[in-house]
Amino acid sequence: MPPIKRTKFKLAPEQLLEMFYWLKLIRAFDERLSVLVKQGKVRSGVYTGIGQEAIIVGTCFGLRKDDYVCPLHRDLGSFLMKGVDARTMMSQMFAKVTGLSKGRDSALHSGVGELGIFGNTSMLGANLPVAAGLALTFKMERTDHVVVAYFGEGASNVGDFHEALNFAGVQRLPVVFVCENNQYAYSVPLEKSMAIDDVAVRAEGYGFDGVAINGNDVLAVYQSTLGAVARARAGEGPTLIECKTYRWHGHSEHDKAFYRSDEELAMWKSRDPIPTFTTYLRARHVLDDDKQKDVEARVAKTIDDAVEFAVNAADPAPEEAVTDLYA
Ligand SMILES: Cc1ncc(C[n+]2csc(CCOP(=O)(O)OP(=O)(O)O)c2C)c(N)n1
């Protein structure tokens, strides 16, 4: 198989600013959730992706509206980028009637079919065979949709991952497997769960390409996604993109993450995807003080408004627990 060719791309200043907005919004959403959970206001487990935002932004930016995502617990930003407004998403975390599942479940188990979001299950890696199934539907129906399926390096050790990649490889399915390799699966460092350095090499065993990239570089993620999506749409099958990154907080907000060192965290914080991209945008004269302030003000307004909306929204009525059932 020939190696993956470098994908060329050109983004207009407005598109680069839009990327910047999403990075900031997703960061701010998670940071606010982290505070709210400590105040006892959130009725869901909170698994922030602070430090990993470039992966969601770079991948979702490379998708069409009619493409699909299969997110996992740390991918709340993909809901926002696929079109769920911040009020609804915050309501979902507060388990209010204005949330995606009208207060029935916590956080990320909801999906939104019309927006191309397939809700996840709790079992690690179980979203991957589902993504392969979705991609099989696209192939059988001769549409050119693509599905992006997210997972952590920990999930790449479970059977579902291997079955999904095998099936997708055999059937040449239009799926992009995106590994968010944040170095830990809960408290387990990757060297204690894998005898290889790169999850990307696992793709080779299933007959397609895998690349390991800097997951904190939003443009690198975007570039790899564009190439993978183009191949998937052209009927050339799946790609595995492994994005190397780090989660700044614990596995969830109740995890103090004592299993890692301050030095390690500081090293990864120095690779924060947002200042890196900010420097790039400023050097290219896409961003200046005024534009940055404008984005930051819009982000703060959106988050404040979402929290106020969710706090004041109604709780679900007990009798509604038995409505909307599929049976
Ligand atoms: C099959 C399965 N085993 C264990 C768990 C418990 N669990 C939930 S998240 C998690 C760690 C996930 O690590 P990784 O896949 O690397 O994703 P990350 O949380 O780092 O983003 C574990 C062990 C689970 N949900 N499902």
Side-chain angles (χ1 to χ4, degrees), residues 72-151:
L72 267 188
H73 49 283
R74 223 173 285 291
D75 304 319
L76 191 151
S78 67
F79 286 71
L80 296 170
M81 283 194 75
K82 285 292 283 169
V84 177
D85 70 74
R87 284 181 167 190
T88 309
M89 205 61 218
M90 199 58 88
S91 299
Q92 175 71 5
M93 306 307 289
F94 280 60
K96 297 293 184 83
V97 282
T98 44
L100 291 171
S101 57
K102 304 181 196 168
R104 285 194 183 80
D105 84 324
S106 74
L108 302 174
H109 293 104
S110 281
V112 192
E114 21 339 329
L115 294 176
I117 306 168
F118 208 97
N120 83 61
T121 53
S122 283
M123 298 312 291
L124 277 185
N127 64 330
L128 302 177
V130 171
L134 265 176
L136 181 64
T137 310
F138 303 153
K139 186 179 163 185
M140 288 169 74
E141 292 181 346
R142 295 181 203 278
T143 60
D144 69 346
H145 304 309
V146 169
V147 51
V148 166
Y150 300 97
F151 59 98

Side-chain angles (χ1 to χ4, degrees), residues 52 72-74 122-124 151-156 158 180 182 184-186 247 251:
Q52 307 186 184
L72 267 188
H73 49 283
R74 223 173 285 291
S122 283
M123 298 312 291
L124 277 185
F151 59 98
E153 80 292 343
S156 80
V158 302
E180 300 169 301
N182 59 17
Y184 289 88
Y186 212 128
R247 65 164 156 73
H251 170 70

Side-chain angles (χ1 to χ4, degrees), residues 30-51:
D30 269 353
E31 280 179 338
R32 186 66 68 87
L33 272 181
S34 175
V35 173
L36 290 165
V37 81
K38 290 178 187 90
Q39 294 172 347
K41 297 214 170 96
V42 180
R43 289 186 185 139
S44 156
V46 171
Y47 308 89
T48 63
I50 298 171

Side-chain angles (χ1 to χ4, degrees), residues 143-146 172-174 226-237:
T143 60
D144 69 346
H145 304 309
V146 169
R172 314 296 299 155
L173 297 177
L226 277 191
V229 165
R231 281 191 299 283
R233 274 200 224 292
E236 292 169 29

